[in-house]
Amino acid sequence: MERTEEEAGRRRRGRTTALIGTALVLGLVAGTCTGYLVQAGREPTPLPPLSQPVLAQARGEGPAPLPASQDRRVRTDGDLRELLLKKPRGAKHTEWLREGVRWLDIAALAETWTQPGEAFGDLVTDEFRRSVMTVWEDDGYTVVIRLTQFRQEEYTAATDAADDAQRWAEVRPNDSWAIPGTGNGRAYVMTEPGTEPGTEPGIELGFAPEYSAEAHAWRGDIAMSVWVTGREPVPKKRIMDVAERQMERL
């Protein structure tokens, strides 16, 4: 059977391609062999000496370490009680905390939650390190400040602690404001007084309902919480003032 010109052309192109491919392979092999022969005929290149010149040591004094007032890590690794805001002049510590400051171990801190067992496990997971609180009474209001420090070897637990506290605060009707200089820190003034469960407004048990405000923020590995309670609505200025002054100490 005779091949058509088109088939013959395809055959020729295919054969040419095969020939070119073979030439490339042969060229690579020949070039490689030539390279080995050239390299074999050269004198060996000496290796650089193993010993290196000694570098001159810089002279002069290094930078001075930061003073404790500027080195935040020095302050936060010290006595955590020293970072608590001091009570204002004229205020007094409560009867149940006359010394003014109290350490909270992990069990005592877990007891401040409605479900202590679950809170204990969360604190272990969050790498709880230590916690301290202070309480005072001033002008008919009770002020509670708590600082909780975490190791933060795995993640930023102080941020989560402040965020969780804010979510709990937002459950009740409130007015809220950002705390300047704290990123996502917020202060809350509850617009309705709190009462004992099942009572309204609480007069049946012989007590007046309490108004409250709270603030939550964090800095570094420390979470801050502030609570202010009283028989009268808590002014915004009072909760904001305490929260801002406490954060300035961290």
Side-chain angles (χ1 to χ4, degrees):
M1 180 182 296
E2 295 184 359
R3 292 191 297 271
T4 63
E5 292 184 2
E6 182 180 357
E7 291 175 340
R10 284 201 302 269
R11 187 69 173 268
R12 285 195 297 270
R13 284 196 297 272
R15 185 176 181 182
T16 302
T17 303
L19 289 174
I20 292 173
T22 303
L24 286 174
V25 173
L26 292 174
L28 288 173
V29 172
T32 302
C33 293
T34 303
Y36 278 120
L37 291 175
V38 172
Q39 185 65 28
R42 290 178 177 175
E43 291 293 330
T45 303
L47 296 174
L50 296 178
S51 61
Q52 298 295 324
V54 178
L55 299 177
Q57 185 175 2
R59 298 184 179 275
E61 297 182 358
L66 288 174
S69 60
Q70 298 180 20
D71 191 337
R72 183 184 175 278
R73 187 61 181 266
V74 171
R75 291 185 290 119
T76 58
D77 277 351
D79 191 338
L80 197 60
R81 295 172 297 182
E82 295 298 324
L83 296 182
L84 281 169
L85 185 66
K86 307 303 181 184
K87 71 178 180 65
R89 182 177 301 176
K92 63 178 181 179
H93 291 300
T94 60
E95 288 294 325
W96 58 275
L97 194 61
R98 292 183 179 181
E99 65 275 17
V101 178
R102 177 190 173 190
W103 286 104
L104 297 172
D105 59 21
I106 189 170
L109 185 58
E111 288 293 333
T112 64
W113 270 267
T114 55
Q115 296 180 325
E118 182 177 343
F120 187 94
D122 291 339
L123 289 170
V124 172
T125 303
D126 292 343
E127 299 176 306
F128 168 83
R129 180 179 176 185
R130 54 184 179 168
S131 184
V132 67
M133 66 178 294
T134 185
V135 184
W136 70 72
E137 294 176 343
D138 181 32
D139 195 25
Y141 293 97
T142 300
V143 178
V144 180
I145 303 175
R146 186 175 71 204
L147 303 179
T148 303
Q149 191 172 33
F150 300 88
R151 292 185 176 84
Q152 296 202 151
E153 296 176 357
E154 298 296 332
Y155 67 99
T156 54
T159 308
D160 293 345
D163 290 345
D164 289 344
Q166 290 178 12
R167 282 192 287 270
W168 278 106
E170 291 167 359
V171 172
R172 294 175 57 190
N174 68 83
D175 294 324
S176 69
W177 305 268
I179 304 173
T182 63
N184 65 342
R186 294 196 72 80
Y188 303 84
V189 171
M190 304 307 165
T191 55
E192 296 179 1
T195 60
E196 287 291 334
T199 64
E200 185 62 39
I203 305 300
E204 292 87 344
L205 296 181
F207 66 88
E210 283 197 330
Y211 292 85
S212 65
E214 53 192 88
H216 306 283
W218 64 276
R219 181 160 292 154
D221 56 359
I222 297 177
M224 177 210 74
S225 290
V226 177
W227 294 271
V228 179
T229 58
R231 298 295 177 86
E232 300 293 333
V234 181
K236 170 189 174 182
K237 183 179 183 303
R238 182 175 291 271
I239 183 65
M240 290 290 286
D241 177 65
V242 175
E244 288 184 50
R245 289 193 293 123
Q246 176 60 73
M247 288 302 296
E248 288 173 358
R249 297 179 64 87
L250 300 180

